[in-house]
Amino acid sequence: MNNTASDLEQYLDELANNARPGDRLPPIRDLMRRFGVSQMLVQRAFQGLKTKGLIDSQVGRGTYFRGDGELVPANTGPRLQANRSVLLLRRSISITRGRVLVEGLQRRFTADGHRVLEVSYTDPAHARTVLKGSPRFDACVVQSTYKTITIDLLAALRDKCDVLAVDGATLAGTDVEAVGMEWGEPLAKAIALLRQQGHGRIAYAATSSPVLATQMGRRRFEYLQTTLADTELHEITVPHLPDDNYEAALANLIKASLDASGRLPFTALVAWGVEDGAKFRQLLSDAGVGIPSALSVVLLGRTDLANEHANFFDTIGCSVADQIESLYQAINVRWADPSLPYGVRLIPVTSKVGQSIAAPPPATRSTVSRVSTTDSPT
């Protein structure tokens, strides 16, 4: 006879009634295989045992049986501990998104009655030095902003923090919560939007640095190159990160693409990494490239940050508000049940309509064959 979710619940109830205090629950994956149920059903069964007061969870100890076999009223079941301590570890850098996110997390955790400490660091060695003199924390959010989080820094953080979350989809397969964005879906949406406006020659600009999130975007771009036979896709690789004069470098690459008559080889641009939208627009204007008269532009960025979209650019990406909420929830869920599997949380894609898109000039609207090019500094 096939096992069912009710068989699982009965099995766990029997284990709880016969368990000694501190006995560990069977691993979730073992229960999934044994009863042929999903992870969600196993977690729901665990929650039922918690509501009955038969099991408990602690960071570092996992989920275990209380062992008394007695039910407790639902309203006295396990609750999140108040007055926890949270460390917000942020790399010292003038990126608006980072500041807005840290301030948002500080407000959320402080409103819950938790103690929050914000610490800025310049490099991993500096961060390790700061951590040596710090107390232990119940949770830590790390914001490295495009720079490597070294193994020794991760080890130091795990020694100091019960729950560790990283701002950005940079880590997977570790006991760290990662919350971030992959840029493949926004890129595909941006190209589709421009094609709807009649653009058949589109450029995609992103950093040449192998950041995981942008690598996902580049993989999607390569796929679109092989499938959009009626669209000519150009790739612009910028040898900078957004905190390193990125807008000027990208504007210079676009300017270098102008031919003798002042025309670009593409009529539309999808650009990742622009932190200062007003500056980027002015740089292109100074180069004789008007937006959207000469070039339609869609930014891949944060739809709720005015410094990026400058109240002008059409923007597809994500919101900092969703990033804050996802990090906040990831930590609270981990506090509530330390036995849950770790993973990467991808925040939802959002869009903001601007004034940076127009139909291409009539002379450029003809259908063309796909050609892939890579522009580089001259």
Side-chain angles (χ1 to χ4, degrees):
M1 182 175 66
N2 292 332
N3 289 314
T4 64
S6 60
D7 294 327
L8 167 65
E9 293 171 359
Q10 181 179 352
Y11 172 74
L12 291 175
D13 282 338
E14 291 176 357
L15 285 182
N17 290 327
N18 296 314
R20 295 171 299 177
D23 283 354
R24 298 287 298 274
L25 273 74
I28 289 177
R29 294 192 182 280
D30 288 354
L31 293 172
M32 290 169 60
R33 286 193 295 267
R34 177 168 181 173
F35 290 93
V37 296
S38 67
Q39 178 178 315
M40 181 181 296
L41 286 176
V42 176
Q43 291 171 351
R44 188 179 298 167
F46 280 15
Q47 187 59 47
L49 293 177
K50 280 189 177 183
T51 302
K52 296 175 184 178
L54 297 177
I55 65 174
D56 207 345
S57 300
Q58 288 183 4
V59 176
R61 186 177 177 185
T63 303
Y64 56 92
F65 291 106
R66 294 181 58 172
D68 49 24
E70 297 180 0
L71 301 182
V72 297
N75 62 355
T76 61
R79 299 177 58 191
L80 288 180
Q81 174 185 338
N83 300 318
R84 293 181 184 263
S85 58
V86 180
L87 172 65
L88 303 178
L89 188 63
R90 175 177 180 268
R91 189 168 76 90
S92 299
I93 186 174
S94 58
I95 293 290
T96 302
R97 181 189 72 85
R99 169 53 54 192
V100 172
L101 185 138
V102 167
E103 290 176 351
L105 285 173
Q106 190 169 42
R107 286 193 298 269
R108 293 299 301 274
F109 286 116
T110 300
D112 289 345
H114 303 310
R115 302 183 305 276
V116 181
L117 174 65
E118 180 187 341
V119 175
S120 297
Y121 71 97
T122 55
D123 54 51
H126 178 216
R128 294 197 307 274
T129 300
V130 171
L131 287 170
K132 285 181 181 178
S134 300
R136 187 169 183 81
F137 294 89
D138 293 300
C140 173
V141 176
V142 184
Q143 191 176 67
S144 64
T145 316
Y146 310 120
K147 295 299 183 182
T148 300
I149 302 175
T150 60
I151 295 298
D152 49 359
L153 175 55
L154 278 176
L157 287 166
R158 292 299 294 145
D159 187 53
K160 286 285 186 178
C161 307
D162 292 332
V163 176
L164 182 57
V166 173
D167 171 26
T170 56
L171 291 173
T174 62
D175 58 348
V176 173
E177 300 290 351
V179 178
M181 188 71 194
E182 69 89 15
W183 292 102
E185 182 181 350
L187 170 63
K189 287 180 177 291
I191 290 177
L193 176 62
L194 291 168
R195 293 178 74 233
Q196 289 172 5
Q197 292 293 322
H199 291 277
R201 294 182 288 137
I202 303 170
Y204 167 51
T207 179
S208 58
S209 297
V211 181
L212 177 59
T214 55
Q215 289 294 86
M216 294 178 182
R218 179 165 285 111
R219 184 64 177 265
R220 181 71 68 94
F221 178 75
E222 292 169 352
Y223 171 75
L224 292 174
Q225 285 182 313
T226 65
T227 57
L228 300 180
D230 62 342
T231 303
E232 180 181 320
L233 296 178
H234 301 247
E235 182 176 8
I236 301 176
T237 55
V238 185
H240 295 268
L241 285 165
D243 61 330
D244 183 24
N245 208 23
Y246 185 88
E247 290 87 0
L250 176 54
N252 286 335
L253 287 169
I254 294 172
K255 182 179 179 180
S257 299
L258 292 167
D259 63 17
S261 63
R263 289 189 175 185
L264 291 166
F266 41 84
T267 62
L269 170 72
V270 181
W272 173 92
V274 173
E275 296 283 335
D276 190 334
K279 176 183 177 182
F280 182 57
R281 183 184 180 188
Q282 185 61 53
L283 287 168
L284 288 182
S285 178
D286 293 343
V289 180
I291 303 173
S293 58
L295 181 68
S296 289
V297 176
V298 178
L299 297 184
L300 300 184
R302 277 78 192 177
T303 55
D304 57 348
L305 286 186
N307 63 285
E308 293 192 16
H309 57 67
N311 293 315
F312 172 75
F313 285 102
D314 289 80
T315 305
I316 301 177
C318 58
S319 73
V320 179
D322 285 338
Q323 184 90 357
I324 292 169
E325 180 64 21
S326 294
L327 283 163
Y328 172 81
Q329 291 296 338
I331 289 174
N332 276 285
V333 167
R334 178 64 49 188
W335 277 340
D337 189 352
S339 69
L340 292 176
Y342 292 88
V344 176
R345 295 170 179 247
L346 297 177
I347 50 183
V349 174
T350 57
S351 301
K352 178 178 175 58
V353 176
Q355 305 110 49
S356 61
I357 298 177
T364 67
R365 293 182 186 175
S366 59
T367 301
V368 297
S369 299
R370 181 193 60 79
V371 177
S372 170
T373 64
T374 300
D375 294 309
S376 57
T378 55

